[in-house]
Amino acid sequence: MSATLWQLFSSFCKIGALTFGGGMAMLPMLEKEVVERHGWASEDELLDFYALGQCTPGIIAVNTATFVGYKQRKDIGGIIATLGVVFPSFVIILLLATVLNAFEGNVYLLKAFSGIRIAVCALILKSVISMARKSVTDIASIFAIIIAIAVNLVLGVSTAFVVLGAIVAGVIYHLVMNRIRMKKEKGSV
Amino acid sequence: MIYLQLFWEFFKTGLLSIGGGLVTLPFLFSMSESHPEWFTAAQLGNMVAVSESTPGPIGINMATYAGFNAGGIIGSIVATGALVLPSIVIILIIARAYEKYRTSVLVQDSFHIIRPVSTGMIFCALFTLASITLFDQMHIQLIPSALFVVFFILCMSFKKVHPVVWIALGAVSGMALL
């Protein structure tokens, strides 16, 4: 039996409301709601959706919600599940933004945020290191990251163009690798 | 007009942030340069902290906040909608043939290049934030830099500790030392 739209919305609302930090933090919540509680997808399917979410544009939480919703109720299910996962953050941030803007200029809050920004720098650096460990694995990827940083920081090319360039470079890399693979195959025959 | 601009900027971000996690950050930092009236780089840094301490994906939190600053509640709806629109459309297309997509050599090869580039872009965003946090007109600031080193060592040595703990410690040390 497939899920009702309301079930999809409320379940993904819960996942959105209880996931702190996004990304990987969402997986345990997804397993509990989607696999164990409702049986909307199997464990393997969920991991597939999740991996796919990482290699498609956009936010992983949104991508995964769209996948699960689509599997249950086609296009409309995908849209409703996505609305659900987005809804809690949206409301919480709207409330917080109103409060924060009201206290703007408060000396203690300013000092607190100066300290917070320092901690945030450290946290981002930690994320960059763990991402680099996973994504920078050979000479091609070392070149890719160095060129990307240089082009952005030194030449001032915008992030959007750097990423577009990376997509083109990725396709070229694929063509080159295909050649190499074909040569290897011929050599081994 | 402002809604159109918000839509375009966040649509672009949703379409090109590939890889999840903090990949929306570099786009937001370039937005703070092209549209300083929406939010500044410092506000964005604050918002990263708020996002790490509240539930939900960081990208959504950022879009809601930036949209609200730029154009009130409607602005936040437009920005958040524009951010998720490309994902929804692309996933709904891919969902129809997901086995084929997942095992495609073209996709795997391309991501071999796109992932390190996304990582590099987050590093550049960090550079922007660090330049206003740890430096003052190209002069390194002693206390913030020392705090940064302490926080970095702490969060690398205690990886299981939730980010919200470091953010709270950051707030306390900011009030005490800065």
Side-chain angles (χ1 to χ4, degrees):
Chain A
M1 202 185 75
S2 59
T4 64
L5 291 178
W6 170 247
Q7 278 178 324
L8 280 174
F9 183 82
S10 58
S11 271
F12 275 95
C13 235
K14 207 194 288 176
I15 294 168
L18 296 176
T19 308
F20 285 79
M24 283 298 158
M26 207 177 81
L27 200 52
M29 273 305 297
L30 274 171
E31 275 169 352
K32 203 160 167 257
E33 274 294 307
V34 173
V35 180
E36 287 171 28
R37 191 146 169 255
H38 294 291
W40 288 338
S42 70
E43 180 83 43
D44 282 346
E45 273 176 316
L46 189 65
L47 286 176
D48 275 356
F49 290 158
Y50 211 72
L52 256 178
Q54 273 173 312
C55 43
T56 42
I59 296 150
I60 297 180
V62 170
N63 295 349
T64 315
T66 315
F67 262 120
V68 176
Y70 175 84
K71 196 182 162 245
Q72 287 299 311
R73 294 294 302 266
K74 299 292 164 201
D75 292 340
I76 183 75
I79 293 168
I80 294 291
T82 305
L83 285 180
V85 86
V86 167
F87 187 68
S89 334
F90 184 78
V91 173
I92 291 168
I93 296 297
L94 268 193
L95 293 176
L96 270 178
T98 322
V99 174
L100 276 183
N101 290 352
F103 281 95
E104 211 171 28
N106 178 299
V107 182
Y108 293 103
L109 199 67
L110 285 178
K111 284 190 175 194
F113 269 118
S114 311
I116 286 172
R117 283 199 294 272
I118 297 169
V120 166
C121 282
L123 287 171
I124 297 176
L125 184 57
K126 181 190 160 206
S127 297
V128 168
I129 290 172
S130 78
M131 280 181 78
R133 277 200 183 134
K134 275 181 263 166
S135 63
V136 183
T137 48
D138 59 1
I139 295 181
S141 47
I142 291 174
F143 265 113
I145 189 169
I146 290 176
I147 292 171
I149 291 173
V151 163
N152 183 266
L153 281 189
V154 182
L155 301 179
V157 176
S158 77
T159 311
F161 280 108
V162 176
V163 174
L164 283 174
I167 295 171
V168 174
V171 173
I172 294 171
Y173 175 77
H174 168 70
L175 297 175
V176 173
M177 288 307 282
N178 263 359
R179 277 253 163 122
I180 295 173
R181 284 184 205 119
M182 263 161 66
K183 268 189 191 160
K184 266 192 190 158
E185 254 172 49
K186 268 186 194 163
S188 66
V189 169
Chain B
M1 194 52 214
I2 187 130
Y3 301 128
L4 261 179
Q5 279 179 329
L6 273 174
F7 184 88
W8 170 239
E9 288 293 338
F10 280 95
F11 182 81
K12 217 164 53 178
T13 304
L15 186 66
L16 294 174
S17 332
I18 310 174
L22 297 174
V23 285
T24 45
L25 262 193
F27 292 92
L28 293 162
F29 272 105
S30 35
M31 239 184 265
S32 74
E33 279 159 19
S34 55
H35 294 282
E37 72 281 9
W38 293 357
F39 52 86
T40 62
Q43 281 176 314
L44 196 54
N46 300 346
M47 210 45 214
V48 176
V50 172
S51 288
E52 293 272 17
S53 331
T54 55
I58 288 178
I60 300 294
N61 296 346
M62 295 293 202
T64 308
Y65 177 73
F68 180 76
N69 269 2
I73 291 185
I74 297 178
S76 62
I77 294 173
V78 169
T80 310
L83 183 73
V84 299
L85 186 64
S87 311
I88 296 184
V89 173
I90 289 168
I91 297 292
L92 288 182
I93 293 168
I94 290 175
R96 289 165 167 77
Y98 96 95
E99 264 317 303
K100 226 194 259 169
Y101 183 85
R102 195 173 60 98
T103 51
S104 148
V105 188
L106 170 65
V107 172
Q108 283 168 2
D109 280 345
S110 313
F111 274 86
H112 191 68
I113 301 297
I114 297 170
R115 277 211 196 90
V117 169
S118 289
T119 308
M121 289 300 99
I122 300 174
F123 177 79
C124 297
L126 169 64
F127 196 82
T128 314
L129 185 61
S131 69
I132 57 163
T133 308
L134 310 179
F135 293 85
D136 183 25
Q137 286 158 353
M138 297 316 279
H139 293 294
I140 190 157
Q141 291 185 293
L142 208 58
I143 298 173
S145 306
L147 269 177
F148 169 75
V149 173
V150 170
F151 275 119
F152 179 65
I153 292 170
L154 279 174
C155 74
M156 286 306 278
S157 355
F158 303 98
K159 286 194 171 155
K160 296 263 180 230
V161 174
H162 198 280
V164 76
V165 173
W166 307 126
I167 288 162
L169 279 178
V172 173
S173 50
M175 283 195 267
L177 299 171
L178 299 176

